[in-house]
Amino acid sequence: MTREWWRDAVVYQIYPRSFQDSNGDGIGDLEGIIRRLDYLNDGTETSLGVDAIWLSPTFPSPMKDFGYDVSDYNGVHPDFGTMETMDRLIAECHARGIKLLLDWVPNHTSDRHPWFIESASSLENPKRDWYFWRSAKPDGGLPNNWRSVFGGPAWTLSEETGQFYLHSFLKEQPDLNWRNPEVERAMHDVLRFWFERGIDGFRIDVMGMILKHPELADNPVNPRWRPGDRERSSQIWLNNRNYPDVFGAVKRIRRVFDEYPEKTAVGEVFGTAEEISAYYGDDREPGLHLAFNFQFIHEIEPWHTPWDAEIMKRIVRDAERAIPAGSQPCFAFGNHDRMRFITRHNEDGRGVERARAAAIVLMGLRNTPFVYYGEEIGMEDVEIPEEQLQDPARLRTFGRDPERTPMQWDATPSRGFSEAEPWLPYGRADRNVDEQFADDGSLLSLYRAAIWLRKRTASLREGAYRELESLDGTWLFERGATGAAAAAYVALNTTGHAVRVAVPSPGTVALATLRSEEGRRVGQHIDLEPLGAAMVIADGERSILGR
Ligand code: GLC
Ligand code: CA
């Protein structure tokens, strides 16, 4: 059996509104992405070298949640282009060996989707049961106590019939009823539609919420919640997230993927290592190919995971222990919903140093790494004046505009992004592709080197993960075939002082945050700068270092 492509891939997430504008309306589009594909992978080591792209939603949408409110699953939003542009993007990606993943939003539609408009129109409408409609409780109260992810109750009254409908996110995003077989069939057909057009797979939005408690039973109160915490955390999401029935639906989704060769599913899921692992399926039947593990970003809301070797070791240990044999984790340090990496780890102004180490760790781990656009050049959250804010989620909870600002291609006033006023303001001019491209010391060069090293090094792509003994505040792991001598070592220092980490066998530094270390012979230890990281290729594997 040939090895599945997603096992060896590095995936790059594009937020389409913010990557490249091609028609001067200040909004990124598919044509713009086509123009920038060579940056992502032109087959040579001057390009970033990513193997796949995931596009956040590109479908027709009223854009209340910037595309996560879909009004037609089988089209392209005019802001982004046409079906013809999408077909060309697919072809241009494939011509470069790049796989293209779209973003499937199965939990909810837009309230402007024809299905919901019909469903809302009368109690007897044939699509009434496609969504969740309930009357108020006898005492006039809401049908249950569920809160929406963005804050506020998860129920809104519809004037047309005097009943409430369920929305786990904005009120413009009504939840679909996946217990209705017609809904399931219609949503499976969406996958087939895009597979026929050549899409290679999907990132699946809020996978863990599509099946809820059959009676929509109340959620228990969270005893650990304190005033000031996020409102949604005031209850334990027992009956509407990771509810056991969801795993059956996941397996049925997988069967649709398996109707076509090489189609790949990666789910947005939340929970413990065990809960994440359950999405991969079980002995009897496979589930998703990949399920995100976001624990490097946050484990417990609302706190960010600190940049701390001990915590990171534990996260990987748990993930490796829980994941089914033959599956691999999928880590990310950022996405369109979370503060950018540097901003998150910049309390002492040293976020950039940590970002360099993160690139080495992410490419060194046993996983399918996901990189959010702009992380490779160290983009930071942009402070946005109140009148320019866009994300409606901010009105109830946290806003996500600061991490969605346009990609910075150069230092000009237009950043190489758009001739027009961009939909969100630009960040600081000195973080851009143009300046970092040819600079060997840049974050971009480090990312590029890490991605290409991984591509050339079988043990980094396929080898088992083993944690080794190391000092507090450091993390040392090896990668290599099970039972064989280690082929690669990865060492991380999260402390503010230089450290020396002992390695069991000699090799050569292949990659380091301090780039001048690369090529240095390593006997019994690796020296790491404060907040530094390095990757060592053991002697047996040295051939791969030569290009
Ligand atoms: C996911 C998306 C987020 C969106 C939400 C509702 O969490 O990543 O951007 O707002 O789902 O679709
Ligand atoms: Ca445009």
Side-chain angles (χ1 to χ4, degrees), residues 30 34 76 81-94 100 193-194 196-199:
L30 301 183
I34 294 174
V76 171
T82 62
M83 266 302 197
E84 185 274 327
T85 343
M86 180 62 91
D87 287 341
R88 234 160 6 88
L89 174 61
I90 297 170
E92 293 285 345
C93 284
H94 290 170
L100 187 61
F193 173 86
W194 287 105
E196 299 286 345
R197 286 197 102 89
I199 288 298

Side-chain angles (χ1 to χ4, degrees), residues 118-335:
E118 271 194 56
S119 182
S121 65
S122 78
L123 295 171
E124 294 78 34
N125 186 277
K127 290 210 166 52
R128 187 66 173 177
D129 182 53
W130 281 40
Y131 295 84
F132 296 93
W133 294 101
R134 296 289 184 277
S135 300
K137 284 192 178 153
D139 67 359
L142 294 173
N144 73 13
N145 74 348
W146 294 358
R147 310 303 294 177
S148 95
V149 170
F150 295 143
W155 295 94
T156 290
L157 184 66
S158 169
E159 302 294 340
E160 279 160 287
T161 56
Q163 284 196 318
F164 291 88
Y165 64 91
L166 177 70
H167 54 88
S168 298
F169 293 84
L170 298 172
K171 70 173 181 6
E172 293 86 358
Q173 295 169 293
D175 282 34
L176 280 166
N177 174 17
W178 273 74
R179 289 189 191 271
N180 182 322
E182 291 174 19
V183 168
E184 185 167 52
R185 206 171 315 122
M187 289 305 291
H188 285 178
D189 281 344
V190 170
L191 297 172
R192 296 187 181 100
F193 173 86
W194 287 105
F195 290 154
E196 299 286 345
R197 286 197 102 89
I199 288 298
D200 299 292
F202 287 90
R203 176 264 191 186
I204 306 179
D205 193 61
V206 285
M207 179 79 271
M209 293 182 71
I210 63 172
L211 272 121
K212 303 133 186 14
H213 186 286
E215 269 93 54
L216 310 183
D218 277 352
N219 278 330
V221 165
N222 178 5
R224 288 172 37 205
W225 185 83
R226 297 282 168 274
D229 291 353
R230 282 193 183 147
E231 187 220 16
R232 67 184 184 208
S233 316
S234 62
Q235 57 189 226
I236 297 169
W237 289 50
L238 184 73
N239 293 325
N240 51 351
R241 177 178 286 168
N242 301 336
Y243 190 77
D245 291 356
V246 89
F247 300 105
V250 165
K251 289 172 180 172
R252 293 192 295 276
I253 288 168
R254 169 62 183 259
R255 284 183 220 153
V256 179
F257 278 73
D258 286 346
E259 291 170 15
Y260 299 79
E262 294 191 84
K263 305 300 179 194
T264 300
V266 47
E268 184 201 30
V269 306
F270 299 95
T272 62
E274 283 70 27
E275 287 170 315
I276 296 169
S277 292
Y279 285 91
Y280 287 88
D282 52 39
D283 303 343
R284 278 165 298 136
E285 206 179 339
L288 305 178
H289 301 83
L290 293 165
F292 275 118
N293 183 318
F294 296 124
Q295 294 179 351
F296 288 144
I297 304 176
H298 56 93
E299 288 186 276
I300 308 166
E301 294 218 273
W303 301 286
H304 299 137
T305 302
W307 191 245
D308 177 313
E310 303 312 314
I311 293 172
M312 296 172 73
K313 279 184 223 181
R314 175 177 48 71
I315 288 171
V316 174
R317 211 182 289 142
D318 289 349
E320 287 280 348
R321 188 185 304 129
I323 202 160
S327 296
Q328 68 191 36
C330 174
F331 293 108
F333 280 121
N335 63 37

Side-chain angles (χ1 to χ4, degrees), residues 424-459:
L424 282 174
Y426 299 119
R428 46 192 282 187
D430 66 340
R431 295 279 162 76
N432 65 73
V433 171
D434 197 36
E435 281 171 29
Q436 295 190 29
F437 196 78
D439 170 5
D440 286 341
S442 68
L443 181 59
L444 177 57
S445 295
L446 183 65
Y447 259 99
R448 195 163 48 196
I451 291 170
W452 284 95
L453 177 67
R454 184 182 167 90
K455 238 191 262 293
R456 286 197 304 275
T457 313
S459 48

